[in-house]
Amino acid sequence: MDGDPEGRRGGSHAARYLQIASALRRHGFSFAIGLVGLDHVIPWWRRTAAKVQRQPSGAASSHLRAALEELGPTFIKLGQVLSTRSDLLPPAFITELAKLQDAAPPVSVEEIRAVIRSELGADPEVVFASFEDKPLASASIGQAHAATLADGTSVVVKVRKPGAVAQVHTDLEILHTLAVHATRAWAFARDIDAVGMVEEFAQSLRAELDYLQEGRNAERFADNFRDDPTIVMPRVYWPHTTPRVLTLERMQGMNVADTRALERTGVDRDLLARRGAGIVLKMIFEDRFFHADLHPGNLFIHPDGTIALIDFGMVGVVSDELRGHLSRLFIAIVRGDAALLTSAVIAVSLTSGMIDRTTLHDDLRVFLARYRLGSVRQTPFARMMTDLFAILRRNRVRWPSEMTMLLKSLLLIESLAMRLDPDFRLGEALEPYAERLARERLRASAIAKRIVTSSAEVGELALELPGIVRRLMDAVDTAGIQVHVRAAELEPLLGRAERIGNRLVAGMIGAGLITGIGGLVAAERRWRSWESAMVGAGLTTIGALGAYLTWTARRRRRG
């Protein structure tokens, strides 16, 4: 980060590349070394001396976790993020990566004191009334120490470890390079958009490095729940907070997973389960700003049943677009409409390659038949999500991190609530929010807003088409003509048109392209005839889109 004393100081990239390649090789992932472009960093005699076989499927997940732990903070964080991606990884890997703990050996107290002195301008004993040298906890990036303020308030002082930022920046640059190479060499990496995933991860991790941002997150949650006495957030002490030091009110209480302690103090576990679920649902559906790492270690329970939250580095935001996707998914699942669910899944997807719509539809039809729901209340949420994510993986459909983060938060709170109350069903708590989303989607103002958005997307597509046709003509002029046509290859363009809500336009686009291709094949040796056919196809398509825009504008004026 700019102005950070740690700067970009770090070790040699070459040495780090070798560490990564060696860890992959040592843990049985030699096959991946070439795919990500690391084969050149392994000395030739080591490459030929021992060709390590792939791990058996049952052991691969544990070896992957061990390799990530060995590679340190950035890779541990990456594994934690991947543990939420049930749409990408099978259950065995999700379960194993979920064991990754953001823990590391503590650094010396002298180093921690030096950071506090640099950031707050004095030794800890001067800044605080008391400061404990022994850390409360030590994570990969930061370390927490107990302290008290001059007025006697107990606080936790989180201090970023020296050198942590430099290592993270180096690793993120390396991960981006490896993702670029993997995308060129590996179809799976292209399908999941490995480069885009690394960029999303880098953005999220860099935000976690800034303790000022974490403090702002804590205050935003506190403001959102200011009228709810059943939940408390730690106060941020800004005079003692910088990008590298965060001072928060100390939260204490029972671990939410310690059911025996809860029983001894007489806490109503059923009520606590409903309260916890209600907090998360409010964050997601009302505040649209949610805590994305609500594992048991980040919740404390007071004897009166009040819930205290900590650790606000990882958060999620629910945009209007994401909210719309959620409503379509809920409506399709409750109706049992496989066609609607297929369209909703594709609309959310970030998959760069083609999606076999027929196969996806068949899988989702079987999925819906398996559950036959009449309301969200009946939803066995965890089991349904497990099955749905398996379908996404099988069809190579990748959802945005915001969606998977949101669903992970729902799964996590359902798991915690069921520990407290085995009869708890998330669907019952979720149903009012799902119904509200459905009503909002059918509201006239919401429909009008979607029409405006659709018109803009159609217009953008219409403007792009002449350039697309010109690039096609340039490519043929340079490399000659080779035609290999499959109906499935029209899917991306048809899918885009369908997502903007008009199947008629999709049909016209398909017809226009088929007309152009027919002209191309018939006149392969006559350039002018081919050019005319392609231009005609383009004009046909543009005309169809123009007609759609005109129709939409008239409808809006009448409304």
Side-chain angles (χ1 to χ4, degrees):
M1 292 164 16
D2 294 340
D4 192 330
E6 298 174 58
R8 300 243 177 193
R9 189 175 72 247
S12 164
H13 278 37
R16 187 59 169 160
Y17 277 119
L18 180 57
Q19 287 177 348
I20 295 168
S22 298
L24 290 173
R25 178 177 172 276
R26 191 160 47 252
H27 289 281
F29 296 99
S30 295
F31 69 94
I33 291 174
L35 292 174
V36 297
L38 286 173
D39 46 342
H40 68 284
V41 305
I42 301 285
W44 68 270
W45 55 270
R46 286 170 64 179
R47 288 203 304 267
T48 57
K51 291 188 177 181
V52 181
Q53 298 296 317
R54 292 194 192 200
Q55 295 290 344
S57 58
S61 56
S62 61
H63 278 275
L64 177 60
R65 175 181 58 79
L68 294 174
E69 285 177 330
E70 181 181 319
L71 290 170
T74 309
F75 289 84
I76 289 173
K77 290 286 187 182
L78 178 62
Q80 290 173 334
V81 170
L82 290 174
S83 74
T84 70
R85 301 308 304 263
S86 299
D87 56 327
L88 299 179
L89 297 176
F93 283 85
I94 297 298
T95 301
E96 195 65 36
L97 293 180
K99 298 176 184 177
L100 283 168
Q101 297 298 312
D102 189 14
V107 300
S108 69
V109 69
E110 288 77 16
E111 292 178 272
I112 295 299
R113 287 172 171 273
V115 173
I116 292 175
R117 193 180 306 118
S118 170
E119 293 295 303
L120 302 182
D123 287 324
E125 288 78 12
V126 176
V127 177
F128 304 100
S130 68
F131 181 86
E132 294 185 12
D133 288 346
K134 184 179 180 180
L136 291 170
S138 177
S140 54
I141 291 173
Q143 191 161 303
H145 290 256
T148 56
L149 300 179
D151 63 1
T153 302
S154 294
V155 295
V156 173
V157 184
K158 291 179 66 172
V159 182
R160 205 171 62 205
K161 293 179 177 179
V165 171
Q167 185 64 67
V168 166
H169 281 308
T170 295
D171 286 345
L172 290 177
E173 290 172 6
I174 289 173
L175 280 171
H176 187 272
T177 301
L178 299 182
V180 169
H181 194 285
T183 299
R184 295 171 182 161
W186 193 7
F188 177 72
R190 287 193 297 275
D191 289 340
I192 67 171
D193 185 18
V195 174
M197 287 186 63
V198 168
E199 289 172 351
E200 284 182 6
F201 170 66
Q203 183 179 2
S204 173
L205 183 53
R206 288 187 178 116
E208 286 191 58
L209 293 174
D210 183 359
Y211 284 163
L212 290 176
Q213 183 60 51
E214 182 173 344
R216 288 190 287 268
N217 292 342
E219 288 202 332
R220 183 170 175 182
F221 282 119
D223 186 58
N224 289 342
F225 286 90
R226 63 185 178 277
D227 298 325
D228 187 346
T230 66
I231 180 170
V232 294
M233 310 286 178
R235 178 182 173 185
V236 183
Y237 292 92
W238 291 109
H240 304 89
T241 295
T242 74
R244 299 175 69 198
V245 176
L246 174 61
T247 303
L248 296 164
E249 177 185 2
R250 186 173 182 181
M251 297 283 101
Q252 300 188 63
M254 295 169 285
N255 188 300
V256 68
D258 190 350
T259 54
R260 290 184 179 178
L262 296 174
E263 287 176 355
R264 283 197 302 269
T265 54
V267 172
D268 186 333
R269 290 168 51 186
D270 296 354
L271 176 62
L272 187 61
R274 294 193 299 274
R275 182 176 292 167
I279 288 169
V280 173
L281 294 173
K282 178 183 181 300
M283 287 179 178
I284 291 173
F285 295 104
E286 294 181 16
D287 305 331
R288 303 194 189 188
F289 181 73
F290 62 95
H291 194 304
D293 195 23
L294 278 178
H295 59 74
N298 286 339
L299 294 92
F300 295 106
I301 310 301
H302 296 167
D304 64 355
T306 301
I307 298 173
L309 301 185
I310 63 170
D311 197 353
F312 307 97
M314 187 182 296
V315 298
V317 177
V318 182
S319 64
D320 286 342
E321 182 181 16
L322 185 59
R323 190 177 174 86
H325 290 321
L326 276 174
S327 68
R328 291 186 71 191
L329 288 168
F330 284 143
I331 291 169
I333 289 173
V334 170
R335 287 183 183 173
D337 188 330
L340 181 59
L341 184 56
T342 302
S343 295
V345 166
I346 291 176
V348 185
S349 172
L350 296 179
T351 304
S352 57
M354 289 182 299
I355 297 174
D356 187 333
R357 190 185 188 89
T358 301
T359 301
L360 178 61
H361 178 274
D362 290 344
D363 286 347
L364 292 174
R365 180 172 50 78
V366 173
F367 165 79
L368 291 172
R370 183 179 302 132
Y371 293 100
R372 297 186 182 280
L373 303 174
S375 72
V376 176
R377 177 182 294 270
Q378 300 170 251
T379 305
F381 197 76
R383 193 164 74 246
M384 281 191 68
M385 288 301 102
T386 299
D387 288 351
L388 180 59
F389 284 138
I391 291 171
L392 298 183
R393 285 195 308 276
R394 191 159 59 246
N395 288 272
R396 294 195 171 184
V397 175
R398 181 173 77 87
W399 277 0
S401 60
E402 293 88 351
M403 177 65 87
T404 55
M405 193 184 297
L406 185 156
L407 294 174
K408 173 214 170 185
S409 296
L410 292 176
L411 291 171
L412 200 54
I413 198 61
E414 181 186 50
S415 174
L416 286 175
M418 290 184 70
R419 288 189 192 183
L420 298 168
D421 174 14
D423 295 326
F424 175 84
R425 293 295 177 267
L426 182 64
E428 293 184 17
L430 186 58
E431 186 174 48
Y433 294 96
E435 290 177 350
R436 188 186 309 168
L437 283 175
R439 287 196 301 270
E440 287 178 0
R441 186 167 183 81
L442 296 176
R443 199 173 293 156
S445 58
I447 294 172
K449 184 176 180 180
R450 292 202 302 275
I451 288 174
V452 171
T453 302
S454 297
S455 299
E457 292 184 6
V458 174
E460 181 183 348
L461 183 59
L463 292 173
E464 289 175 3
L465 275 172
I468 293 171
V469 172
R470 174 57 59 190
R471 287 195 295 275
L472 284 170
M473 294 168 65
D474 290 343
V476 172
D477 190 33
T478 302
I481 300 172
Q482 288 186 326
V483 180
H484 303 278
V485 182
R486 293 178 300 181
E489 291 174 349
L490 301 178
E491 180 67 28
L493 188 55
L494 293 174
R496 182 174 180 182
E498 184 177 58
R499 281 197 299 274
I500 61 178
N502 193 292
R503 295 177 184 272
L504 177 60
V505 175
M508 288 179 147
I509 291 173
L513 288 175
I514 292 170
T515 301
I517 292 169
L520 169 62
V521 174
E524 181 176 350
R525 295 183 182 179
R526 301 193 304 276
W527 166 254
R528 292 299 177 188
S529 297
W530 177 86
E531 183 179 16
S532 298
M534 287 304 296
V535 171
L539 291 174
T540 299
T541 305
I542 293 169
L545 293 170
Y548 176 81
L549 284 171
T550 302
W551 174 79
T552 301
R554 287 175 178 169
R555 287 291 299 271
R556 287 175 58 196
R557 284 198 297 271
R558 289 172 186 168

